[in-house]
Amino acid sequence: MRFVDIIEKKKQKKSLSKEEIKIWIQGLVEGSIPDYQSSALLMAIVLNGMTQEETTNLAEAMVLSGEQIDLSNISGVKVDKHSTGGVGDKTTLVLGPLVASCGLKVAKMSGRGLGHTGGTLDKLESIPGFDCFLTTENFVRQVEKIGIALVGQTADLVPADKKLYALRDVTATVESIPLIASSIMSKKLAFGSDTILLDVKFGEGAFMKTIEEGKELASSMIKIGKSLGRDTRAILTEMDQPLGNTIGNALEVIEAIETLQGKGPEDFTELCIASAELILLQGKIVSTKEEAREMLWKKIDSGEAFEKFCEVVREQKGDVQALHDISLFPQAKNRTELKSQKTGYVVKIHSQNLGFLSMEIGAGREKKEDDINPAVGLKLHKKYGDFVEVGESLCAIYHDNPLEENWKTRLLESFEIQEGKPKKKNMIEAIIE
Ligand code: URA
């Protein structure tokens, strides 16, 4: 079969067979199918969609394109989580040690930040000395020994996704539920965890703009996971403001430490606890959410959850002392308060803007090769629903270089302030099992 016929078939809105999808992914990785043909097929998929069966077959073919990590020698239930990305999202840093302290095995591979969203690896590397790159052998050994390892992605995992994502990025074909679902799930499945919890974000700044789209993406990923034998569930969260109070690498690690000690911001703590409840249920070490919540708070209150984080940092050569004395983290040269020019209630915080503004002062990278500054970022003093008076600080800016006026104006404009108190909202909109 000529590859052009497969493109033609999708152009005619027909379903591709498992074999046709396999031919595509193999040819893509081997280089026998040129990028222009893959790009044409990607555009046809964006425009005409894929059935769930095609999406699952695509994910499976992508998994088979590279190395798969075998965790079967690790005893106990191996759990994994994935967030579709948010501003201020430091959930892995809390959830990982928290559920590991309850006895589950957390084998977690994370990525770097690009554009307005941060990446767990960059956050971890703001801990002096922390090493994110273990050999697969050492990674497996560490998970067996202390119940958790937090590492970066190896080059050989799902090479098809790397090629496809690079093409999608430059051909306006990122936004497609089948393509996003297969991309995320192929990486989760290549990694041999028994259970997967997905945190699907929707709203401004997320890939999925509406709750309906968020539900559709979650349900497609759950079907892929289940059809390949993994207990997959999702939590659907709105991203209409940053998660927690901090944006920026060292600042977020410090907030994660506080949360592990039971002193974290309310919204972030709630998301961590609700997600951890589901993971404990998936791991079958509790039988109700109430039992899970009780166990989780015990681990936080007794200090075991924080101690588990210290253990990971110690194993991965990070400076544990810094976790006890935050002045040992990289420090920004300046702290400037952003003063409100209005009195009223905060009704919206444009998280995507805050993500880009933080990136511009060095907290993130615009291009893959850029360096980041671990010390800089933002600490919010006011969040959705809070009352603020003229002259009160909306947030603190941690920066090394002088701030441009235009940058400060854009930051101020990211906070919408109005007279009336807005309705209380639930960040967690739904749990899909
Ligand atoms: N994250 C991924 O890993 N893949 C996508 O396609 C989108 C977000």
Side-chain angles (χ1 to χ4, degrees):
M1 178 180 240
R2 296 176 319 153
F3 192 67
V4 67
D5 299 325
I6 295 182
I7 305 174
E8 180 66 31
K9 202 170 165 189
K10 189 40 76 185
K11 191 178 94 186
Q12 306 285 346
K13 299 192 170 69
K14 293 187 185 137
S15 295
L16 304 181
S17 68
K18 187 170 181 153
E19 193 50 32
E20 287 162 341
I21 290 174
K22 207 167 120 195
I23 290 172
W24 174 32
I25 295 304
Q26 269 178 0
L28 169 91
V29 175
E30 288 162 11
S32 57
I33 293 174
D35 289 352
Y36 52 79
Q37 284 195 309
S38 287
S39 302
L41 182 55
L42 284 168
M43 186 56 84
I45 293 171
V46 169
L47 298 175
N48 296 333
M50 274 186 144
T51 62
Q52 185 59 45
E53 192 181 342
E54 287 176 286
T55 309
T56 302
N57 288 337
L58 176 56
E60 205 176 338
M62 285 166 75
V63 172
L64 296 175
S65 73
E67 185 196 0
Q68 292 177 60
I69 309 256
D70 181 7
L71 303 177
S72 60
N73 285 336
I74 300 173
S75 57
V77 184
K78 279 79 72 181
V79 299
D80 196 2
K81 58 83 59 173
H82 178 84
S83 157
T84 58
V87 175
D89 190 349
K90 61 222 79 126
T91 320
T92 297
L93 304 180
V94 173
L95 258 188
L98 181 54
V99 301
S101 73
C102 296
L104 292 173
K105 296 285 169 58
V106 181
K108 179 80 180 95
M109 216 174 239
S110 297
R112 295 205 180 274
L114 193 60
H116 71 285
T117 58
T120 303
L121 286 195
D122 299 320
K123 295 174 204 196
L124 284 167
E125 285 178 353
S126 73
I127 304 170
F130 194 92
D131 179 10
C132 289
F133 293 94
L134 306 183
T135 60
T136 304
E137 204 187 334
N138 285 343
F139 172 69
V140 169
R141 193 180 306 135
Q142 183 176 317
V143 178
E144 182 62 46
K145 180 176 163 200
I146 65 164
I148 175 168
L150 302 171
V151 297
Q153 196 168 318
T154 68
D156 300 335
L157 203 81
V158 200
D161 182 61
K162 284 198 194 77
K163 281 209 91 170
L164 278 183
Y165 203 87
L167 285 180
R168 287 166 62 204
D169 211 18
V170 293
T171 55
T173 52
V174 170
E175 269 136 36
S176 147
I177 288 180
L179 295 178
I180 297 176
S182 52
S183 161
I184 294 175
M185 288 306 289
S186 62
K187 287 171 286 197
K188 295 285 108 185
L189 294 166
F191 211 67
S193 291
D194 304 307
T195 75
I196 302 162
L197 179 70
L198 303 160
D199 178 0
V200 179
K201 309 277 186 201
F202 68 93
E204 192 201 289
F207 280 112
M208 301 293 115
K209 303 294 172 210
T210 63
I211 184 161
E212 289 72 27
E213 285 174 332
K215 279 189 177 156
E216 201 182 325
L217 176 63
S219 127
S220 177
M221 292 195 287
I222 290 173
K223 286 184 188 136
I224 296 174
K226 286 192 172 159
S227 74
L228 298 174
R230 313 287 174 86
D231 178 332
T232 312
R233 306 184 197 190
I235 190 159
L236 215 72
T237 53
E238 186 168 7
M239 236 205 59
D240 61 349
Q241 64 175 346
L243 187 57
N245 296 337
T246 55
I247 304 166
N249 299 285
L251 294 170
E252 291 189 46
V253 175
I254 294 166
E255 189 167 62
I257 294 171
E258 289 163 359
T259 307
L260 280 166
Q261 294 172 331
K263 300 177 289 191
E266 200 182 321
D267 62 340
F268 179 51
T269 303
E270 182 47 32
L271 178 63
C272 291
I273 296 285
S275 305
E277 277 172 16
L278 286 171
I279 298 178
L280 296 197
L281 284 169
Q282 288 180 295
K284 298 196 172 50
I285 55 171
V286 293
S287 42
T288 64
K289 282 194 184 161
E290 293 68 31
E291 209 186 316
R293 190 160 279 247
E294 196 181 323
M295 179 184 280
L296 292 163
W297 276 112
K298 264 196 193 141
K299 298 292 178 190
I300 292 174
D301 293 338
S302 66
E304 287 169 81
F306 173 59
E307 184 43 43
K308 189 54 79 180
F309 188 48
C310 295
E311 261 183 90
V312 192
V313 171
R314 195 175 298 118
E315 284 291 323
Q316 295 187 226
K317 304 190 182 70
D319 180 3
V320 181
Q321 208 36 43
L323 308 186
H324 296 278
D325 174 4
I326 57 167
S327 70
L328 298 174
F329 273 90
Q331 304 286 326
K333 292 190 185 123
N334 309 291
R335 175 184 162 138
T336 305
E337 300 296 328
L338 178 79
K339 305 271 174 69
S340 179
Q341 295 180 356
K342 287 186 187 163
T343 291
Y345 291 92
V346 177
V347 293
K348 191 158 182 69
I349 303 178
H350 294 276
S351 40
Q352 194 167 2
N353 288 359
L354 295 197
F356 281 121
L357 289 162
S358 306
M359 180 191 83
E360 287 172 29
I361 58 170
R365 51 174 81 73
E366 204 168 345
K367 298 185 290 326
K368 267 205 206 109
E369 325 59 77
D370 291 347
D371 282 333
I372 56 164
N373 180 343
V376 301
L378 304 173
K379 188 174 210 170
L380 306 187
H381 299 316
K382 299 289 174 185
K383 297 242 346 212
Y384 176 85
D386 287 345
F387 183 72
V388 59
E389 291 195 45
V390 173
E392 244 191 299
S393 175
L394 287 165
C395 74
I397 307 152
Y398 293 79
H399 57 111
D400 277 357
N401 299 321
L403 300 170
E404 288 171 16
E405 274 316 306
N406 168 273
W407 186 92
K408 282 196 267 182
T409 307
R410 280 156 58 217
L411 181 62
L412 197 57
E413 284 170 358
S414 303
F415 290 81
E416 277 186 36
I417 296 166
Q418 284 175 11
E419 260 178 31
K421 190 171 169 63
K423 269 206 306 245
K424 199 167 162 37
K425 282 204 250 184
N426 289 331
M427 181 180 51
I428 300 169
E429 280 287 339
I431 287 171
I432 309 176
E433 296 177 45

